[in-house]
């Protein structure tokens, strides 16, 4: 059974940093695509950043220059380094993964990030 387990969320002040981690396990295939989404209560879940197994990345405009996604293929783990956090970054952050971009069907349960102003 595939599991994605996030960690690293918490409370941080505006301008601070957090590093999220997501460890994937139980897959018989490679997660070529891994990424992070975030969701505020009552709003849709939005893409934050995406990374391929080859290291290609894609970021939402709102986080470019502040967030960095990376991965350790040997550990099936994806990271999100979040710097210069703003109150509008507060959300539940979800890990997402799949063998192809179109088949990113696996989700973690989410980790809460709170940014105090």
């Amino acid at each position: 059974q595939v599991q994605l387990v996030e960690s690293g969320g918490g409370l941080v002040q505006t301008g601070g940093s957090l590093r999220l981690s997501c460890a994937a396990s139980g897959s018989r295939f490679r997660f070529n695509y891994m990424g992070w989404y975030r969701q505020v209560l009552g709003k849709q879940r939005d893409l934050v950043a995406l990374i391929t197994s080859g290291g290609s990345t894609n970021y939402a405009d709102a986080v470019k220059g502040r967030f960095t996604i990376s991965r350790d293929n040997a550990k099936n783990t994806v990271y999100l380094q979040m710097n210069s956090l703003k109150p509008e970054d507060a959300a539940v952050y979800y890990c997402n993964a799949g063998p192809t971009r179109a088949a990113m069907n696996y989700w973690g349960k989410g980790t809460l990030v709170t940014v105090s102003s």
Side-chain angles (χ1 to χ4, degrees):
Q1 182 178 357
V2 174
Q3 283 191 317
L4 302 179
V5 180
E6 302 104 332
S7 61
L11 172 64
V12 65
Q13 290 185 333
T14 297
S17 298
L18 281 176
R19 188 191 193 211
L20 306 183
S21 300
C22 170
S25 62
S27 174
R28 293 176 296 172
F29 47 80
R30 187 176 193 177
F31 287 123
N32 288 313
Y33 287 80
M34 299 186 80
W36 292 93
Y37 282 71
R38 65 187 182 188
Q39 187 172 24
V40 175
L41 188 63
K43 296 189 176 182
Q44 69 179 21
R45 191 174 295 186
D46 294 323
L47 176 69
V48 175
L50 188 68
I51 188 167
T52 69
S53 55
S56 296
T57 59
N58 185 32
Y59 294 93
D61 288 342
V63 307
K64 283 181 181 177
R66 300 187 298 122
F67 290 12
T68 302
I69 190 170
S70 61
R71 64 186 288 170
D72 184 332
N73 289 331
K75 296 181 179 179
N76 280 330
T77 300
V78 63
Y79 307 95
L80 186 68
Q81 178 65 44
M82 305 186 294
N83 298 328
S84 302
L85 282 160
K86 305 175 181 179
E88 52 264 42
D89 295 317
V92 177
Y93 283 70
Y94 295 92
C95 181
N96 177 230
T100 67
R101 183 67 179 94
M104 293 184 72
N105 300 321
Y106 299 95
W107 293 90
K109 293 183 178 180
T111 184
L112 179 64
V113 172
T114 305
V115 184
S116 63
S117 57

